[in-house]
Amino acid sequence: MEHGKPAGIASLVSPPSLLSQRGGMREHVDQAVRSALLAGRFIPGKAVTLRGLAQELGVSPMPVREVIQRLAAEHALVVLSNGRVQVPKMTAARFDEVLKARLLLEPELAAMALENKAEIDTKALEKIDLEIDASLGTGDAEGYMMLNYAFHFRIYEASRSTILLPLVESLWLQFAPFMRTVYGRVGTAHLVDWHKEAIKAIRAGNVESLRESMASDIREGMWLLGRSSFPPEEDKQDAF
Amino acid sequence: MEHGKPAGIASLVSPPSLLSQRGGMREHVDQAVRSALLAGRFIPGKAVTLRGLAQELGVSPMPVREVIQRLAAEHALVVLSNGRVQVPKMTAARFDEVLKARLLLEPELAAMALENKAEIDTKALEKIDLEIDASLGTGDAEGYMMLNYAFHFRIYEASRSTILLPLVESLWLQFAPFMRTVYGRVGTAHLVDWHKEAIKAIRAGNVESLRESMASDIREGMWLLGRSSFPPEEDKQDAF
DNA sequence: TTGGCGAAAATGTGATCACAAATTAGGGGC
DNA sequence: GCCCCTAATTTGTGATCACATTTTCGCCAA
């Protein structure tokens, strides 16, 4: 398995705004790795090393250790039995379950968000959706993924949820890296979304319509991924 | 706010079986704290200190730090803005969401488990249910909670789930401490469960009946908690 | 070229230290 | 008694170190 720098994680390093607070370094590393995961800059199966990440982010290995444990708890990273850390590989079973979980939780979250309709900036959503169309046109997979994330979570955050929302975030962290690899193979051209229908449902205050728009968006977006082939289990994810 | 030792966390210290492996200390601490949380030996709002836990478990603060980050990522612990760590307090909003999430996920998990019916040891479930009745009779709240956890997850684990199951575990870690405080106030006498109906549904292979049994069990078990009063928001969970 | 053996490098883990920030305790003045 | 200010203690954070294990690389023989 070839190694190599995890491809510009440090690219989106936030200026030292709150880095001098308590846990500032950890927060910095956490956001950097999370963004990288969600944007698909980490390839499934890729090894993640403590000192590597630390050097790349310009911090000591210490905050990186804590962040890795944190992300491992959310199953965004896996710690093999030999201690090595890597981005988990997708399997057919895992994929089916992620789809099921998303369909259970995300429409519900959207419905909850609609109860605080005033907090949903549909104008901003339209802007994001336009940028999504643009990124699809240029084939910018990474940009598409971040924008798609922004679109969904701009809605979900209006739910003021403290339980369901973190669960869904964990799900996104888990399938995003795989998503990226598929887009790298088949491109983003055939992608269609139900964002415009969702915005319409929000404006109309139609909960049921919003639920169905989100469900359709998830189902069709994931369908493209599901038709793709899963990595062969050359070596087991972890040999206990 | 009074302090005090977190009450016998080290009680269930496993013998040094696999403690010399990689990450052995961390695994040890992780299981100890998780068990304590699920059994309700941590009271919501209680401060959890790094050095305190470390000394109690006979390890250096290092593995404790990683475990705390791990549990904080699952929202089983919260890291305040000043760095202090505590067991999160329950609020009405959080409680409603936990109930909603449980009703969405756990019946589904039980249904998935029934697809591997052979892996569900109904004989063991009956034994656990008997012990639950016994613990209710003696008012052993801590024992009841661990047995109730065992009952549910013995079923769920048959689902071979790698996505939904961890999400549900995160939920249990979040409401267990609160559950314990309520039992401490109102006792466990009025507790009724649908475990016998669930076992019957499993034996009959009746998926829909199992779903409803689990939903009823969750609803009625949580109803007792919901009627209880939530801690007044004397001080905010976290002052940013 | 290929397979395997041994040295060298890399990696995670646990421990310890120094430091800053926050909490707590104590004492003095009102 | 009550409040406020200061000192002592506690606590989390980041850094560094030593070590065992693992992986990787280089070399030699078949």
Side-chain angles (χ1 to χ4, degrees), chain B residues 3 22-26 51 59-63 66 82 84:
Chain B
H3 273 246
R22 292 287 287 226
M25 296 296 177
R26 183 173 56 221
R51 291 171 174 87
V59 299
S60 91
M62 201 40 116
E66 298 187 327
N82 58 8
R84 296 301 167 73

Side-chain angles (χ1 to χ4, degrees), chain A residues 109-120:
Chain A
L109 213 39
M112 288 171 61
L114 200 46
E115 293 175 12
N116 304 41
K117 185 178 167 185
E119 292 184 29
I120 310 179

Side-chain angles (χ1 to χ4, degrees), chain A residues 34-54:
Chain A
R34 277 190 143 78
S35 298
L37 249 2
L38 288 171
R41 284 197 294 281
F42 278 163
I43 290 101
K46 169 168 276 293
V48 174
T49 64
L50 276 164
R51 292 172 173 86
L53 262 185

Side-chain angles (χ1 to χ4, degrees), chain B residues 70-130:
Chain B
R70 187 180 272 268
L71 290 168
E74 303 181 52
H75 300 89
L77 296 176
V78 283
V79 179
L80 289 314
S81 59
N82 58 8
R84 296 301 167 73
V85 181
Q86 69 172 40
V87 182
K89 297 175 184 167
M90 185 57 73
T91 67
R94 268 169 55 86
F95 180 83
D96 289 345
E97 253 199 276
V98 169
L99 175 56
K100 178 180 289 190
R102 290 193 65 192
L103 286 173
L104 281 172
L105 299 179
E106 295 190 39
E108 183 65 32
L109 212 39
M112 289 172 61
L114 200 46
E115 293 176 12
N116 305 41
K117 185 179 168 184
E119 292 184 30
I120 310 181
D121 186 350
T122 55
K123 210 64 184 167
L125 289 179
E126 263 176 344
K127 183 172 184 299
I128 293 174
D129 194 44
L130 278 179

Side-chain angles (χ1 to χ4, degrees), chain A residues 13 28-29 32 97 100 112 114 158 187 213-214:
Chain A
V13 184
H28 175 220
V29 173
E97 252 198 276
K100 177 180 292 190
M112 288 171 61
L114 200 46
S213 297
M214 298 306 281

Side-chain angles (χ1 to χ4, degrees), chain A residues 138-163:
Chain A
T138 61
D140 175 14
E142 194 169 306
Y144 164 75
M145 290 187 61
M146 298 205 61
L147 288 167
N148 189 43
Y149 172 84
F151 183 90
H152 280 258
F153 281 78
R154 281 278 182 111
I155 298 175
Y156 301 158
E157 279 162 11
S159 67
R160 298 189 172 287
S161 164
T162 62
I163 306 287

